[in-house]
Each structure stands twice: as C-alpha cells, then as structure tokens.
C-alpha cells in the first residue's frame, strides 16, 4: 500500500495516512508521528524481530541509535519487509543518532549507513549536547547535501547547562533542526521546553513516553489513567499513547513483545480521548522526570567511544545499565 493512499487532510501541517498521524517538518518532509523505539533491546536478532513485526502491523517509523547497538537489526528488518511487501523505502521513516565521540568524524554517517545497510537515513540526531557539537552539525549538514540524510534533529539538548549550544544549533546553523527529542510523559509534560522548541520551529518527539524502566510502571498505576482506561476498555499504556498523539507529540514507545507492539498501534488507530479526559491527563503534570539528567555525568559517560561494529554486547549492557539507574 502506498504512502499517500487513504490520506486525510487535517490542516496545512498535519494529515492522516492509513489511520496514522503525520506532521510536516520545517524542511517540508512528512514524518509519521508514531513509531517503535529500539532502546534497551538486548541484541540485533530481537531488534529485527520486533521491527519486522511492527512494520507488518503498519508501523512506518523506527527509532534507533549507534549507542543502542541494534542498527543492524533495524536495517535487516526494513530491507526484508520491503522485499516481501513491495513497500518502498520512502514510505518507511528510519531515525538514528550520532554519539558525541563521533561528532567530529566526517565518515560517521557513512559508517551508520553501512551498519543499517541503507542508502540514506530519514532523520539523524546529535544524541547528547556534549562533545564537538559544531563539527557534528556541519558534518550532518554535509550529509544532507549529499543525500545521505534528509532531516536533522537534537536529542536531549533542552537540559540545563546546554543553553548556549542549543541556541547555536537553532540560530546559527545553515540547516535548522526540525525535531527535539526529550523525555516527556504525563508526569513530566515539559511545558516550557515544548514551548521553546516550537518557537524555534521544532516538533517534539518523546522518549520514555510511558515512563520507561526507571518509572517502575508508576504511570500505569495512576488512578486517573486507570479510570480512563477502564472507560475505554483499553490499557493504561494505550491511554498514554493516545494522549501523546492528541497533544501533538511524536511518540516512539519501545516493545519487543508482539502483543504490546499491536496494542500500541491500536491505541493510535482505535482510541480517542474526550476533551474532559485530555484535561484530566494534563492535570497529572508534576514535571517529574524519571531519568535525572546531569550534564556533567553525561559528559563523562559520553567520553567513551562507541565500537564501529554493528553489535557489541558489552557496550550495550554498560549503556543500558547507566541509563536505567
């Protein structure tokens, strides 16, 4: 099925394609606002299975990163799905991220494409606001001009201590960032950060959209979320995903269980919260993050270079342990 079949216009910058929301970015690209994240996936084989399952269920946005050590699994899933389904590459949005130690490497994007076994990446983020950000951005701009990358974004640049480099990326660059990726969920709705990102022309994409492992399921136990879920005959996770969509966020919940992968996309296609329920969800905001980002700790952690290999179990375990503290 083609990308522009079953398309419904919403406004000048939004539309629905096969029941899923798309947003037009500041560079004219249309991005699916719902996808699957691959952080904390144990290996490439598991990643390939999850992503291939998601694509078969109708997902068209996959988020990975060099630091996740599963780009190979993503690429294998995308290529296998295209071969079996006839879906074209331009109908699948693939996102990855550069690690700070490779920002200054002009071959980093080429190495990413080799790990993914793809000709281009739809979106590349600078993963953290440390390291040689300016060199990294200029290398990504060169990759856009060469057709290797279509869209550029910033991940975690909204944190305290990164104000100057964040401003440089949005105000002093030739190609502007189109997306800001940050932790965002009903307990940390990041209202000030969202307003600033939107003022700077960026769409917000949410990691830890359901609270992440660090939350220990706190959002799923919230009485208001549970009450709304009961009213719709769905799960708390589905309520949260639908809240994100109706708030205008891009959202990339991770899952490897096939049932959860299906449940998550059903939330987008089959559920609609009322205005009262949206107001109830907004009332949950405590600006309480579950990952307590410390830029100095991150600066030290990000000084560890990543292996160029497509998979490295030792590094992946270290990365996951650090981010799940």
């Amino acid at each position: 099925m083609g990308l522009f079949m079953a398309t419904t216009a919403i406004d000048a910058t939004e539309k629905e394609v096969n029941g899923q929301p798309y947003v037009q970015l500041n560079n004219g690209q249309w991005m699916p606002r719902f996808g699957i994240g691959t952080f904390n996936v144990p290996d490439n084989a598991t990643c390939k299975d999850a992503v291939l399952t998601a694509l078969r269920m109708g997902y068209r946005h996959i988020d990975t990163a060099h630091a996740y050590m599963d780009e190979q699994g993503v690429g294998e899933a995308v290529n296998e799905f295209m071969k079996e389904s006839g879906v074209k590459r331009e109908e699948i949005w693939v996102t990855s991220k550069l690690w700070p130690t490779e920002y200054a490497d002009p071959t980093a994007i080429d190495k990413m494409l080799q790990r993914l076994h793809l000709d281009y990446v739809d979106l590349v983020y600078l993963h953290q606001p440390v390291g040689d950000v300016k060199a990294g951005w200029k290398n990504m701009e060169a990759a856009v001009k060469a057709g290797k990358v279509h869209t550029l974004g910033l991940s975690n640049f909204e944190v305290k201590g990164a104000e100057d480099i964040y401003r440089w990326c949005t105000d002093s660059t030739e190609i502007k960032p189109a997306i800001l990726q940050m932790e965002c969920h009903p307990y940390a709705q990041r209202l000030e950060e969202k307003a600033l990102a939107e003022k700077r022309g960026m769409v917000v994409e949410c990691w830890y959209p359901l609270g992440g492992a660090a939350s220990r399921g706190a959002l799923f136990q919230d009485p208001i979320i549970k009450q709304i879920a009961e009213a719709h005959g769905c799960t708390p996770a589905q309520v949260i995903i639908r809240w994100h969509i109706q708030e205008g966020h891009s959202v990339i919940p991770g899952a490897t269980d096939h049932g959860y992968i299906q449940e998550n996309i059903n939330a987008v296609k089959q559920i609609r919260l009322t205005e009262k329920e949206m107001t109830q969800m907004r009332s949950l905001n405590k600006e309480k993050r579950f990952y307590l980002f410390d830029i100095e700790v991150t600066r030290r952690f990000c000084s560890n270079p990543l292996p160029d290999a497509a998979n490295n179990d030792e590094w992946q375990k270290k990365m996951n342990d650090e981010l799940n503290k």
Side-chain angles (χ1 to χ4, degrees), residues 44-279:
N44 276 297
T46 304
C47 180
K48 177 183 176 181
D49 175 74
V51 172
L52 187 56
T53 298
L55 288 167
R56 288 168 175 165
M57 291 178 179
Y59 286 68
R60 291 296 180 267
H61 181 156
I62 305 109
D63 180 276
T64 184
H66 188 182
Y68 302 168
M69 291 296 141
D70 57 19
E71 289 172 308
Q72 178 182 319
V74 169
E76 288 177 355
V78 170
N79 282 299
E80 184 170 326
F81 177 71
M82 289 191 295
K83 185 176 181 179
E84 74 178 27
S85 68
V87 169
K88 297 178 181 178
R89 171 65 183 90
E90 57 265 29
E91 300 180 34
I92 303 170
W93 184 278
V94 178
T95 295
S96 196
K97 309 174 189 77
L98 290 176
W99 193 244
T101 56
E102 60 185 338
Y103 289 172
D105 179 3
T107 69
I109 297 294
D110 291 328
K111 293 173 181 175
M112 175 184 287
L113 293 174
Q114 290 170 6
R115 291 190 298 269
L116 286 163
H117 296 289
L118 296 175
D119 294 330
Y120 68 90
V121 185
D122 296 270
L123 166 64
V124 175
Y125 288 111
L126 295 182
H127 204 155
Q128 303 286 354
V130 297
D132 196 343
V133 169
K134 294 183 180 181
W137 198 265
K138 292 184 184 301
N139 285 333
M140 293 202 304
E141 288 180 331
V144 171
K145 293 173 183 177
K148 299 173 183 178
V149 177
H150 289 173
T151 301
L152 305 182
L154 301 171
S155 179
N156 301 308
F157 272 64
E158 85 290 354
V159 300
K160 291 181 179 178
E163 292 86 357
D164 289 344
I165 198 65
Y166 183 14
R167 189 178 303 108
W168 180 88
C169 289
T170 59
D171 296 353
S172 302
T173 49
E174 181 181 353
I175 300 176
K176 304 301 180 186
I179 305 167
L180 174 69
Q181 189 182 80
M182 63 180 178
E183 179 182 351
C184 181
H185 46 73
Y187 281 4
Q189 297 179 25
R190 317 301 302 280
L191 300 181
E192 291 184 6
E193 292 85 353
K194 281 172 54 180
L196 181 59
E198 290 167 2
K199 181 179 179 181
R200 291 175 169 174
M202 291 182 286
V203 169
V204 169
E205 184 166 88
C206 307
W207 59 261
Y208 271 8
L210 303 177
S215 72
R216 294 176 171 81
L219 291 169
F220 301 155
Q221 301 304 316
D222 185 273
I224 290 177
I225 296 175
K226 289 174 69 176
Q227 181 183 33
I228 296 173
E230 289 173 5
H232 287 268
C234 67
T235 67
Q238 288 179 305
V239 170
I240 297 167
I241 290 170
R242 188 63 220 183
W243 169 80
H244 278 292
I245 294 297
Q246 288 180 225
E247 283 289 71
H249 303 156
S250 175
V251 60
I252 47 167
T256 57
D257 179 275
H258 292 194
Y260 290 148
I261 295 170
Q262 184 69 68
E263 177 183 306
N264 290 346
I265 196 169
N266 287 349
V268 178
K269 292 186 172 184
Q270 299 176 4
I271 298 169
R272 181 81 188 183
L273 303 184
T274 66
E275 283 303 315
K276 179 181 178 181
E277 290 166 340
M278 288 296 292
T279 299

